[in-house]
């Protein structure tokens, strides 16, 4: 069975998680700690030696240094984690809960947290390797000097990470950066859709029988379609006795009984066939921008709507959202061959993005909110006039 859709969905979830990158960095720190400790026990294999001033730490000094590093780093990590939670809560309350994913996917936050936790774990593991001399147990004093150097280097990196993070968090919750990020990703996705359409020699035309489908595939679960493996659907469509029509696309909510695909076939589908068709889909509890370019438009509209709410009353943020929507529509009109009258899509059997759909989901959806503020309303009509002149 093909589980590519599920794997893609899991990859998205891991990218949007705060545990995957830090967990991998902690594992790397563990491996590095044991590796550097082994190197300290076998330092003679090194083709060079560091100056004595760098590797003359005594037992008490090594323990004190490593303890200080571990204590300080884990304390800073707690503060940074609290800052992240505050930033996410602030963004969710002011710009919309659907924007939380943008902060969770931020690599700067994930890597910063990973560096600090990995430094803490490394310092702890090296601390246990420091040994006091004992005549009764015949244990010689041992200080992992090269491991100490790596711990000091990790501490310096952690300090610069803290400096970066303190600067980075305010940048991530700056509403101008949020709208710019959404607008740039929307522009990139529209360009990718147009380029994919232009790269195909000819759109696949499918004629469906004038009768009800022989089978309607359901997923036996409820949720939002997060991923659809279009390549696998196209492969299955190439079968001589199968004709498939996708009924639900990424971003759509389905119940356990919602048909997601219609099938015309000469023979009855086996359980394996049905499972193979279901494996083309992966569900989630919320929408994402993956395979769903209109979700980015909805996020811009949501930021605009909240900016014009009585509790916020920020017309300049709303105007900024309108500017990025207008930029997306200009790209849809003028990049390459444009979306065209029939629209464009990344996949032959996938949904078609049209200029009218993009305009409806952006400007027309924003109009009820812009009408409540004269400044935003004037800018709205100005941009619409510019779009009409550019056609």
């Amino acid at each position: 069975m093909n589980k590519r859709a599920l794997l893609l969905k899991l990859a998205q979830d891991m990218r949007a998680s705060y545990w995957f990158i830090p967990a991998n960095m902690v594992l790397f720190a563990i491996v590095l700690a044991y590796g550097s400790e082994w190197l300290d026990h076998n330092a003679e294999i090194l083709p060079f030696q560091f100056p004595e001033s760098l590797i003359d730490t005594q037992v008490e000094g090594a323990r004190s240094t490593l303890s200080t590093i571990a204590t300080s780093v884990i304390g800073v990590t707690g503060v940074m984690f609290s800052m992240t939670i505050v930033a996410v809560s602030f963004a969710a309350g002011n710009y919309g809960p659907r924007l939380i994913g943008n902060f969770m996917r931020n690599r700067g936050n994930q890597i910063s947290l990973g560096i600090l936790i990995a430094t803490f774990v490394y310092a702890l593991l090296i601390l246990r390797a420091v040994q006091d001399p004992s005549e009764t147990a015949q244990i010689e004093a041992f200080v992992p000097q090269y491991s100490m150097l790596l711990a000091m280097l990790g501490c310096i990196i952690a300090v610069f990470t803290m400096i970066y993070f303190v600067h980075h968090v305010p940048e991530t919750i700056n509403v101008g950066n949020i709208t710019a990020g959404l607008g740039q990703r929307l522009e990139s996705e529209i360009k990718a859709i147009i380029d994919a359409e232009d790269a195909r020699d000819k759109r696949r035309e499918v004629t469906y029988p004038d009768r009800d489908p022989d089978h309607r595939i359901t997923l036996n679960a409820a949720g939002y379609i997060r991923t659809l493996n279009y390549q696998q659907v196209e492969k299955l469509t190439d079968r001589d006795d199968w004709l498939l029509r996708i009924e639900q696309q990424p971003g759509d909510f389905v119940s356990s009984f919602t048909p997601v695909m219609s099938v015309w076939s000469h023979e009855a589908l086996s359980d394996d066939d049905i499972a193979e068709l279901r494996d083309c889909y992966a569900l989630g509890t919320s929408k994402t921008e993956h395979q769903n370019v209109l979700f980015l438009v909805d996020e811009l509209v949501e930021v605009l709507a909240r900016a014009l709410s009585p509790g916020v009353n920020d017309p300049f943020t709303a105007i900024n959202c309108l500017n990025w929507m207008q930029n997306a529509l200009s790209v849809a009109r003028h990049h390459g061959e444009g979306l065209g009258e029939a629209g464009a899509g990344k996949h032959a059997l996938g949904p078609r993005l049209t200029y009218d759909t993009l305009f409806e989901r952006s400007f027309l959806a924003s109009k009820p909110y812009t009408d409540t503020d004269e400044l935003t309303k004037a800018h709205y009509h100005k941009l619409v006039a510019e779009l009409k002149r550019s056609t």
Side-chain angles (χ1 to χ4, degrees):
M1 294 184 182
N2 191 292
K3 297 286 187 180
R4 185 168 180 268
L6 180 59
L7 293 175
L8 285 174
K9 188 251 183 185
L10 291 175
Q12 297 165 38
D13 291 342
M14 286 190 293
R15 189 182 184 283
S17 70
Y18 254 40
W19 62 264
F20 182 71
I21 289 180
N24 279 278
M25 295 182 75
V26 167
L27 292 176
F28 174 77
I30 294 173
V31 174
L32 181 63
Y34 282 104
S36 62
E37 184 182 342
W38 177 87
L39 184 63
D40 277 300
H41 283 289
N42 301 273
E44 66 277 1
I45 68 172
L46 290 174
F48 58 87
Q49 295 292 328
F50 284 103
E52 286 293 330
S53 58
L54 294 178
I55 54 174
D56 63 348
T57 308
Q58 302 303 310
V59 172
E60 289 303 321
R63 283 182 171 166
S64 176
T65 300
L66 291 171
S67 298
T68 301
I69 292 175
T71 304
S72 302
V73 168
I74 198 62
V76 170
T77 304
V79 174
M80 289 175 57
F81 183 75
S82 300
M83 290 174 61
T84 303
I85 297 300
V86 170
V88 170
S89 301
F90 175 82
N94 287 271
Y95 312 133
R98 292 194 293 183
L99 290 171
I100 291 179
N102 297 314
F103 299 94
M104 299 295 289
R105 284 191 296 269
N106 189 283
R107 288 294 176 84
N109 295 343
Q110 296 174 357
I111 294 175
S112 297
L113 183 62
I115 288 175
L116 293 177
I117 296 178
T119 302
F120 167 73
V121 171
Y122 181 84
L124 280 184
L125 291 176
I126 298 305
L127 179 60
R128 61 177 290 277
V130 179
Q131 294 180 347
D132 279 324
S134 173
E135 295 182 1
T136 57
Q138 296 183 347
I139 296 176
E140 296 182 358
F142 175 70
V143 177
Q145 302 288 354
Y146 295 107
S147 298
M148 282 288 301
L149 290 178
L150 286 177
M152 292 297 297
L153 178 61
C155 180
I156 294 172
I157 294 174
V159 169
F160 282 101
T161 299
M162 180 184 64
I163 296 171
Y164 161 79
F165 191 82
V166 170
H167 165 79
H168 181 67
V169 169
E171 289 291 310
T172 58
I173 62 176
N174 182 295
V175 68
N177 293 334
I178 293 173
T179 54
L182 292 173
Q184 289 166 358
R185 294 204 302 277
L186 177 59
E187 176 185 348
S188 177
E189 281 296 313
I190 293 174
K191 287 181 178 179
I193 290 172
I194 295 174
D195 292 340
E197 181 71 22
D198 293 343
R200 280 199 301 271
D201 295 333
K202 185 179 179 181
R203 177 166 171 80
R204 186 172 190 167
E205 298 294 339
V206 180
T207 302
Y208 296 101
D210 188 18
R211 60 183 175 86
D212 291 337
D214 299 309
H215 307 276
R216 289 186 172 90
I217 305 300
T218 61
L219 299 180
N220 291 338
Y224 288 95
I225 297 176
R226 292 275 294 273
T227 304
L228 175 53
N229 188 352
Y230 289 104
Q231 291 83 359
Q232 181 66 12
V233 174
E234 291 177 11
K235 289 180 182 179
L236 295 174
T237 304
D238 291 334
R239 293 186 179 182
D240 295 335
D241 59 339
W242 279 17
L243 187 60
L244 307 179
R245 184 173 67 198
I246 298 173
E247 303 292 355
Q248 303 293 331
Q249 304 287 350
D252 294 337
F253 182 86
V254 297
S255 69
S256 304
F257 308 99
T258 303
V260 297
M261 191 180 297
S262 297
V263 183
W264 288 265
S265 62
H266 299 305
E267 299 179 357
L269 298 182
S270 65
D271 292 341
D272 290 341
D273 293 334
I274 294 175
E276 190 172 11
L277 291 170
R278 286 175 175 166
D279 287 342
C280 295
Y281 287 86
L283 297 180
T285 56
S286 61
K287 294 182 181 180
T288 66
E289 62 193 64
H290 178 68
Q291 293 186 339
N292 183 17
V293 64
L294 293 176
F295 181 73
L296 292 168
V297 182
D298 293 340
E299 286 185 302
L300 280 172
V301 174
E302 182 174 358
V303 174
L304 179 146
R306 285 177 174 267
L308 293 177
S309 64
V312 179
N313 192 24
D314 181 10
F316 297 101
T317 294
I319 288 173
N320 197 22
C321 293
L322 289 174
N323 290 335
W324 283 108
M325 294 179 196
Q326 190 256 4
N327 174 69
L329 287 164
S330 298
V331 170
R333 180 74 73 183
H334 301 293
H335 179 74
E337 298 296 327
L339 292 179
E341 295 183 1
K346 280 187 177 181
H347 307 281
L349 296 178
R352 310 288 289 175
L353 177 65
T354 65
Y355 183 89
D356 290 341
T357 300
L358 196 60
F359 185 82
E360 290 172 3
R361 292 288 287 268
S362 58
F363 273 82
L364 291 186
S366 303
K367 192 174 188 306
Y369 307 105
T370 60
D371 287 343
T372 62
D373 180 82
E374 291 300 324
L375 185 62
T376 311
K377 182 179 180 181
H379 193 73
Y380 175 93
H381 290 293
K382 173 189 172 184
L383 294 181
V384 171
E386 290 178 359
L387 290 171
K388 289 181 178 178
R389 285 197 298 269
S390 66
T391 57

